[in-house]
Amino acid sequence: MYSLWSNLEIGALFLVAFFAWRAGASAAKLRYGGSAERLKRKTRRTVLWMALLLLSIGLQIWSALEVWAYSPWMLSQDFVSVHLPLVVMPTLFVIGCVLPRIYWIARESGRRTGAPLDPELFRQASHPLLVVPLRATALCALTAIYFFLAVPVPFVPADVMLPLMILGLVVVFAANLAWHRWKRLLNDRNASAATLPPLWKRSMRALAMLAVVGAIATGGIALNAQASRLPDHVRMDEGTMDYGGGTDFPHVSSGQVEVQAASASAGAPAVPVTELTGDVSGTPDRRFALTAQKTQVKLGSGKTKEAWTFDGQLPGPELRMRQGELVEVVLTNRDIAEGVTIHWHGLDIPNAQDGVAGATQNAVRPGESFVYRFRPEQTGTFWYHSHQDSQEAVKRGLFGPLVVEPAAGQDPKVKDIVALANERAFQTSDPIRREAVAPGTPVRLRLISTDDWVIRRFTLVGTPFRVAAIDGTELNKPGELTDTHLELTTGSRADLVFTMPDHPVFLSVGGSKNRGILLSKDGTGEIPDIPATRVFNPLHYGEPADVPFDDKTTYDRNFTMLLDNKFGFYNGSFTNLYTINGKVFPKTPMFMVRQGEKVRVTIANHGQVDHPMHLHGHHMLVLSRNGERSTGSPWWSDTLDVRQGDVYEVAFVADNPGLWMDHCHNLSHAAVGMSMHLMYEGVTTPFEVGSASFNRPE
Ligand code: C2O
Ligand code: CU
């Protein structure tokens, strides 16, 4: 509902601005021309524009009120306290001043004929109160549109007051001018015979106005562009601290560690992220070596294209390991000049292994290697990808699937199929993959969605199935589903299980028969038709089970993440910004926590597009979505699809000390600043991002 009404409201604002401008221009011409007949015709035209204006005002008010009714204050605040008054106030003047005058003129001009106009009719037709309220409405609507493009959310009075003051001054100044011109006009005996000034004169005036506005704007723009430049040196243990309403604690960054050593008042001793390794001594149970390299890959079309790959494969090789094993992965960068790391997406392992350039390590340069060692504690479906310039890296191919089997290994009877959806990987393989599966075989399909800014649709046809896991976490007692599709946002995963029937089963990727996996007795057979399906909703699926939170939990920290988009500058260039609490990195806040604390986060999307929010090192339990409580199986997520107008309440236990990225997994959004981090007390990092460093996490 929020998306419908908020989009309508924005549309209505543009209509209000346009029609108010047209109506104003039309009303301003009433005084020209002289004869009653001409005045009558012109009045009719003005009335038409005003009718359209009032209709669009009605639509704007209606939809703003609906937004208010349907969504929490966080999402409706700017509609109610900025847009609405900006439209309603000038409208009162239109109704109070313009309408009666227009009505009177229409009536009187209808009764008279010929030229010149009678003095009272001319007086009214040239009255400033005929035009000024309409012009003011247009300006107010434009101001509201400005507040849509540069959203003042969360509310910062200074961001709102300045434009409003400028608007007020312009209106008062223009009204004053109009008043004096009118007085002069009435003294001029021939005024009623005046004709419209020639086009060139009017254009000159408009140009002069534009020039003034342009000059002011250019100044503001230059200042903003300058202020958005990324600093040369940024440490992720520094930044704006947000304590989420909980007790604050002194926080030191690595730059201040020496200062802290000399000061008695400091809190917990500083621990650099590099020491947060967990116990990884001993001989690894499993070793992998991955080489990042440029590779010419063959596309289905026959052409070849350069990709960045792990081991020359697209996607990278499947890493399969068992719960609790000591795993070692040696990453070598052969020739990716931009640098490489590996992040284990969804695995909650110790911070030192998290693989984020500039946060937990330096990006690995060509010719260099880096050794990751960790013990996976979860089982399930994950993926890995480079977290150095991750937008570019993942787009070009530096990613692959990762599966953690139970400690005892997976039941050998199960047919385990990884379905990693990726545009680039699709181009290099057959659109339809065929697998032979004997009827009666238990099947586990591991769905992984990796494309940037794609909500991937998966439809399983030909068998009932269960969603066994989401984001690498088993669901409790999942029920059987038919005619249901899943929508997986960028970075998220789901495991589907079923028993192979004696006819073909098709996993459609994208909703059509053109792309997917066909399972049948012998790997041949017809692709079944895809029926109408409804979307899977995890909120009420499966049965409740123990979680560390209940209704009576008092949370040590309550954070808010308000997601949005607006126009502005990022590192000096004008772009569409994707913001968290109105800011882009490095001005986004750090959520400050202490080990062991219970943390609640409200994530709300006030913008126009969806944001898959990904928290490293932790899984978030969904408590509610849009006020609706989660009543099914505990739904633990590491990548949560937050769509326009969505409000999620999630909770997690701060049980994994470190410096953890929390960012949008539409990596193109993260790349322009939709990124922040969770920061544990006492944790510091020796690494740096910022333009002088080689590290570029996003
Ligand atoms: Cu899959 Cu921070 O990313
Ligand atoms: Cu996003």
Side-chain angles (χ1 to χ4, degrees), residues 453 563 578 609-613 664-670 674:
W453 213 344
L563 314 176
Y578 300 96
V609 297
D610 62 297
H611 301 291
M613 296 311 292
C664 179
H665 221 288
N666 284 335
L667 296 171
S668 49
H669 298 181
M674 197 168 213

Side-chain angles (χ1 to χ4, degrees), residues 172-206:
V172 168
F173 180 76
N176 202 289
L177 207 67
W179 191 263
H180 285 291
R181 277 175 59 190
W182 181 57
K183 284 289 174 203
R184 238 181 300 130
L185 191 68
L186 292 184
N187 292 334
D188 179 353
R189 210 180 306 171
N190 300 321
S192 68
T195 50
L196 199 58
L199 186 62
W200 71 265
K201 235 185 186 169
R202 282 183 286 150
S203 325
M204 284 308 281
R205 237 190 272 154

Side-chain angles (χ1 to χ4, degrees), residues 372-383:
Y372 296 93
R373 270 190 176 209
F374 54 84
R375 289 178 193 277
E377 286 173 15
Q378 302 142 282
T379 59
T381 308
F382 306 90
W383 60 304

Side-chain angles (χ1 to χ4, degrees), residues 322-340:
R322 288 184 184 178
Q323 188 178 28
E325 287 181 336
L326 179 59
V327 177
E328 181 180 277
V329 185
V330 180
L331 163 67
T332 305
N333 181 0
R334 180 178 295 168
D335 56 1
I336 309 290
E338 289 78 356
V340 183

